Amino acid sequence: MNAPVSHAAHLRADSAVPRYDGKEKVSGAAVFSSDHRFANTAHAYFVCSPVAKARITSLNTAVAKAMPGVLDILTYQNLRGEIRPSKHIYQGGVVSDSVPPLMSPEVAYAGQIVAVVLAESFEVARDAARRVSVTYEQQPLASTFDSPGVVHQPLASQRQNHEDPQVGDFDGAFARAPVKVDASYSTPTQHHNPMELFTVTCVWNGEELTLYEPSQSNYGKKFALAQVLAIDPQRIRVLCHYTGGGFGSKGVLTYRTALVAVAARRLGRPVKLVPPRDQGFTLATYRAETRHRLRLGASPDGRLTALSHEGWELTSRADPYAVAGTESTTRMYACRNVASKVTLVRADRSTPGFMRAPPEMPYFFALESAMDELATALGMDPVELRRVNDTRVEPIKGLRYTSRSMMQCFDEAAEAFGWKQRDPRPGSMRRGDWLVGWGCAASTYPVCAAPAAARVRLAADGRASVETSGHEIGQGMYTIAAQTAAETLGIPIGAVTVRMGDTHLPPAPLAAGSLSAASVCSAILGACQAIRRRVGVRDEGRADVVAALRNSGAGAVEELFEYVPNGSPAGTAQGLYQGRAWPVVGSRRPDNIQMSFGAQFVEVHVHALTREVRVPRVVAAFAAGRILNARTAHSQYMGGVIWGIGSALHEETQIDRRHGRYVNTNFADYLIPVNADIGEVQVIMVGEEDREVNPLGAKGIGEIGTVGTAAALANAVFHATGKRIRDLPIRLEDLLEPPRA
Ligand code: MOS
């Protein structure tokens, strides 16, 4: 046979094969959801409320309806009973925001859909939408922190499964601590803004509905949509071969999908929605603004004796969404006295939702900034502060980390960065007109895994096919799926065809929580191992599987394998086929703790006069078990780091408090880092073996890259200027005042 054969246990860590879908993507041949064309398609355009907490007092569609090419306009006056409201996913429902549109004249949040215009063309639909006249009577509203009228609720009182981690006696220990930090931090509203818009196309064929929608959860959406439309799930097929960026915004059903499905059924035609960029700020979810109070107490040698993390998170009136990053921050360092509390702050907003490293990004900005403040208070090197507080046992329940390579990450990154050359005195490393700052921070993310199924077929001609409804969201899923099969079956990667993104294929879980590689590839691995056994290959490692298949006389062998993560509740495999595939989260296990770790080092240059902040380089090291493909992993990590730079310096959704409305809903005003903002990003992949996490030993890498970056950058800004910025994003106006003593 052709290539050297290796069993999955010997997958090469440097197997940096090019992307399976690379050529299709760069040549423009890849078909994304709204690229599908159907004869006789009608186009939808939404009219969204410009205000929150209001009542529609008049709604006039006559002018719009009379326009040539307009087919129909759906409003609360004519939509009745076609959509069955659901609860939020955290309350047993299936949607990311439980406020159903077009149910009544009441408007809960700005951006809520109030009319759906259907027309022969996109342009006519858009034009007509602007001629739908709606008047609103606005009630007093509370749009964000400090708005009178927001309601504070402890998360533990609102969510059954949330318990604020704590151990020992924080108050006593903090009171006695010789060295203390007590500081407050905040992070702003942010939006995912994936390149691909939040499009929906629905095609009915009799009683059968096909949904084309960029998705991180094809199976989830099939069952969720069935529930909201009150139809048999087996009548729905979801197709999505590529998703042009998701980051959490395309994982859970929103009612927009149901509205398009209803419109298509009413018209008896395919209906396509391609909403503009600005509507994406409210059609999907967002990262809510957060606030934090960190109190750290330490002995003079740097050992933490007390740690308290209180978090406040904005959410909607309707739904108790929260990320509760205290689950990870309270477990990061050795400490006997830990307290934490998460409080929901409910305002007149749409419900926030998952956004890349949902808990860890904001909560580690706070923790890792506070650790840097503690290092300053102690007169200690920040890397050494992490070293003395490193632990093999998490402090809350005393559970063992299956692997924890945090200090290896610090040491390798520090070496590559040249950290030894750092003069710790703030403002001491000036270069010409630029103040040079060096800062660092730790990263972590739980190892998540969810059930997944895959079908693999190996034919006697040496070709294999892999089938699973998993998701290519740009992370490289097609590539690592093909690699896993090729290496386990001992065939060249070019002999493997991968089919994904179709609910007619075996079910895969939500592509989120950095779990796809571990979950879907574990299923593929299981199927390939079953094929090896079927053709009589008993041992692990090198074997000519194709020759064994030929010798058996069979033309092809096919195996379906269901991977169920260790620690999953009973019924998990059955639930997978019903669109329920909730992950086992590595920070919440009863038996051990499974986390990835990293360390990031950032150099900033702050102009002495203008206070412009530049980031010439970042060195980031991560240890996340086995790396399946060093090329796609590098992109994942680097992309995460760039997100982190964006969250530190650029991204902030601004709100007009009078109306609860976002104002910078475009790429000119919602700042994201561009190429010129990014200097060198060096990614170091620290070797780590962890055989306990899953059969592949892969911990997941999609999100950790963005954790800790903002803190490292803020710590570098402090080192450059002597000014501690505790509120993101860091703007040059924050740095204009002279440093405080
Ligand atoms: Mo991600 S925010 O877990 O899709």
Side-chain angles (χ1 to χ4, degrees), residues 618-622 633-635 637-639 641 681-685:
V618 178
V619 176
F622 303 100
H634 184 269
S635 293
Y637 282 138
M638 188 170 69
V641 170
V681 178
Q682 185 185 347
V683 171
I684 298 170
M685 296 183 227

Side-chain angles (χ1 to χ4, degrees), residues 216 247-248 354-358 445 511-513 703:
Q216 296 172 248
F247 315 112
F354 311 123
M355 180 160 150
R356 202 171 193 174
Y445 195 82
E703 291 164 275

Side-chain angles (χ1 to χ4, degrees), residues 192 216 246-251 287 321 353-359 445 473 510-515 643 702-703:
H192 317 71
Q216 296 172 248
F247 315 112
S249 65
K250 291 168 178 167
R287 192 195 295 284
Y321 177 85
F354 311 123
M355 180 160 150
R356 202 171 193 174
Y445 195 82
I473 58 175
L510 179 73
S514 303
L515 59 66
W643 267 64
E703 291 164 275

Side-chain angles (χ1 to χ4, degrees), residues 464-550:
S465 69
V466 174
E467 297 182 327
T468 169
S469 187
H471 312 85
E472 174 62 58
I473 58 175
Q475 83 281 48
M477 200 59 221
Y478 279 104
T479 312
I480 57 172
Q483 274 181 279
T484 303
E487 304 227 4
T488 314
L489 296 173
I491 57 176
I493 192 163
V496 182
T497 305
V498 184
R499 292 181 62 216
M500 288 202 306
D502 178 351
T503 51
H504 280 8
L505 302 177
L510 179 73
S514 303
L515 59 66
S516 277
S519 311
V520 177
C521 290
S522 288
I524 295 167
L525 174 66
C528 293
Q529 288 172 333
I531 288 173
R532 289 170 67 102
R533 286 192 298 272
R534 277 267 302 277
V535 300
V537 175
R538 298 202 185 283
D539 304 322
E540 295 195 352
R542 285 161 179 267
D544 193 333
V545 184
V546 177
L549 167 61
R550 286 190 193 128

Side-chain angles (χ1 to χ4, degrees), residues 331-333 383 386-387 389-393 400-414 441-445 447 593-601 620-627 637 684-691 693 697 699 704:
R331 294 182 159 93
M332 190 65 178
Y333 297 113
V383 176
R386 268 70 173 201
R387 195 183 315 279
N389 290 295
D390 194 21
T391 177
R392 314 315 295 174
V393 171
R400 174 183 62 90
Y401 286 95
T402 55
S403 57
R404 173 173 163 124
S405 309
M406 184 180 78
M407 289 318 300
Q408 287 91 321
C409 293
F410 267 104
D411 290 339
E412 289 197 32
S443 313
T444 192
Y445 195 82
V447 179
I593 298 288
Q594 304 181 351
M595 308 287 286
S596 301
F597 289 92
Q600 304 210 17
F601 289 73
F622 303 100
R626 183 189 294 150
I627 297 304
Y637 282 138
I684 298 170
M685 296 183 227
V686 174
E688 184 182 65
E689 190 171 281
D690 188 330
R691 300 216 167 205
V693 286
K699 284 181 163 183
I704 188 172

